[in-house]
Amino acid sequence: MSHCDVFIVGAGPAGSSAAIAAANRGLKVLVVERRQIVGVPVRCAEFIPAPLVGEVNLGRPFVVQSVAGMKTVLPGGESHKTRAPGFIIRRDLFDQTLAEAAEKAGAEILVGTRALSLDGSEVVLRAKDGSIAKIRAKVIIGADGPHSTVGRWIGSVNKNLISAIQCRFSLTQPLNYTEIYFDKEIYAGYGWLFPKGHEANVGIGMKNSGSGNQSIVEVFHRFISRLKKAGKIKGDPKHRTAGWIPVEPLRVTSSDNILLAGDAAGHTHPITGAGVHHAVVCGTMAGESAAQAIENGNLSLLSRYETEWRDLFGDMLNRAFQRRQLMERQWIKLNEIIPYCWVTFKTYYGND
């Protein structure tokens, strides 16, 4: 393929959702994914809110278990539960299900293929066999994660990120709540235990600056020891992964014929780190905006995409970023500020 209507970088939730939306409008869509297998390795705690299953409307082949809500554990050990129905999924199968739906809609997906650079109006690609090719596209959508190559092309990159690390452990007993742990040494972040059948995803996400000389690995090992001592998990860790989470929405996600979606656009929630739902919704918006602009022969219509996603998510993401700034400034007063900085507290949604 030497040309296409919509060229998408990344076959995650945002990229595949954009591909489905554009291909369903009859456009010629090409998606490139640098990984050899879509969705692998998994870098996700694998919780999605219950309504998302209905929104993607692709059945439940990726669902492992349902959860009734979230248990938040404060630094002193006090805890409270919040009803928040959702599902723990296999993220690899979720991504693959979306990618298969994109292909059924008519999109072509090339795995093991990287978008290297933008040469004028052509994208330079490197295929999995090492060969170099160029493709011309009317609209380009960057859905290529927190360190977005496409974002660099328009000078809009995620600079505010936190690091995360996760392993899978066997549970000592089944759980039907996700568990969130706040601790002063997990600087400007939290630990999590998300049940996944007889196992659980256990991880932490934290800002490296401000944590003294402690590495995230050291803090993570102590968190694991805490959960084992509490009788939550047992055995040796499995499938360790690590990655980066954007914690500030980008100011520019549309430029000329290029759109950004998902982690590439900073659509991840700055406090919780949740991003799958936003990626699906914003990816769909990007694909529909691309189709509308191409059908009308007017690429200036692409600017509506930024207005649309900000109307839906902008206030929520901006509030979360403001709360994150408070959290980072006042972390030493964690016990006092947590009601203003965590989404399960009513005071989080106030103006103080």
Side-chain angles (χ1 to χ4, degrees):
M1 190 185 291
S2 61
H3 68 279
C4 63
D5 293 316
V6 182
F7 177 76
I8 301 169
V9 184
S16 289
S17 296
I20 292 168
N24 277 336
R25 299 277 283 265
L27 299 186
K28 190 175 184 179
V29 179
L30 175 64
V31 183
V32 295
E33 168 57 56
R34 63 179 179 81
R35 294 175 290 186
Q36 297 291 339
I37 302 174
V38 170
V40 179
V42 172
R43 294 188 176 95
C44 179
E46 300 185 296
F47 169 84
I48 61 171
L52 182 57
V53 171
E55 289 180 36
V56 299
N57 195 29
L58 295 171
R60 300 186 180 188
F62 41 78
V63 171
V64 178
Q65 77 163 80
S66 62
V67 292
M70 175 188 296
K71 177 181 177 182
T72 302
V73 182
L74 303 179
E78 177 189 352
S79 66
H80 67 92
K81 289 183 176 180
T82 305
R83 181 166 172 77
F87 299 99
I88 304 298
I89 62 170
R90 274 191 56 183
R91 175 62 190 276
D92 54 344
L93 290 184
F94 182 82
D95 287 14
Q96 290 160 17
T97 300
L98 283 174
E100 289 168 5
E103 290 180 315
K104 288 179 181 178
E108 181 178 353
I109 299 178
L110 299 179
V111 297
T113 305
R114 290 178 177 269
L116 298 180
S117 61
L118 187 62
D119 183 7
S121 59
E122 294 181 317
V123 179
V124 180
L125 308 176
R126 184 174 66 212
K128 55 187 174 183
D129 63 1
S131 62
I132 301 295
K134 291 185 177 181
I135 185 165
R136 187 183 299 270
K138 295 175 183 176
V139 176
I140 298 169
I141 298 176
D144 49 339
H147 299 289
S148 171
T149 296
V150 180
R152 290 201 303 270
W153 297 346
I154 63 173
S156 190
V157 297
N158 291 303
K159 296 181 180 179
N160 197 345
L161 305 113
I162 65 173
S163 55
I165 186 170
Q166 175 176 274
C167 293
R168 199 164 71 241
F169 284 88
S170 295
L171 281 170
T172 57
Q173 60 183 4
L175 298 174
N176 68 340
Y177 273 70
T178 59
E179 297 188 354
I180 298 295
Y181 293 81
F182 284 97
D183 190 290
K184 283 188 176 179
E185 72 170 357
I186 308 176
Y187 173 64
Y190 62 85
W192 64 83
L193 185 155
F194 283 13
K196 191 177 179 182
H198 297 296
E199 297 181 319
N201 290 328
V202 176
I204 63 170
M206 59 184 282
K207 268 285 183 80
N208 290 331
S209 58
S211 57
N213 296 321
Q214 300 179 104
S215 72
I216 187 171
V217 174
E218 293 172 331
V219 176
F220 185 45
H221 285 163
R222 285 193 288 273
F223 181 60
I224 291 170
S225 297
R226 172 183 175 179
L227 293 181
K228 285 187 173 182
K229 186 176 180 179
K232 296 283 186 177
I233 59 175
K234 61 184 179 180
D236 296 325
K238 312 166 192 174
H239 303 290
R240 174 171 159 174
T241 60
W244 296 91
I245 304 171
V247 290
E248 180 178 356
L250 290 180
R251 300 298 170 232
V252 176
T253 60
S254 173
S255 179
D256 296 325
N257 70 328
I258 295 177
L259 304 177
L260 302 176
D263 283 5
H267 286 150
T268 311
H269 194 285
I271 290 289
T272 68
V276 177
H277 179 240
H278 301 164
V280 169
V281 174
C282 294
T284 301
M285 287 180 182
E288 291 175 345
S289 293
Q292 185 180 34
I294 291 170
E295 290 166 358
N296 286 276
N298 183 3
L299 293 184
S300 68
L301 295 177
L302 291 173
S303 63
R304 295 179 179 178
Y305 162 71
E306 190 147 351
T307 301
E308 186 178 16
W309 79 253
R310 290 190 190 280
D311 282 347
L312 186 60
F313 293 125
D315 288 346
M316 178 264 292
L317 293 178
N318 288 333
R319 176 189 295 276
F321 179 58
Q322 291 170 3
R323 296 306 195 228
R324 165 157 289 283
Q325 290 178 306
L326 170 63
M327 179 188 289
E328 293 181 14
R329 288 195 309 268
Q330 301 291 330
W331 187 252
I332 194 170
K333 300 177 181 178
L334 179 58
N335 288 331
E336 298 174 32
I337 65 168
I338 199 63
Y340 300 93
C341 297
W342 185 241
V343 295
T344 60
F345 292 93
K346 290 182 180 179
T347 43
Y348 172 88
Y349 302 94
N351 296 318
D352 294 337

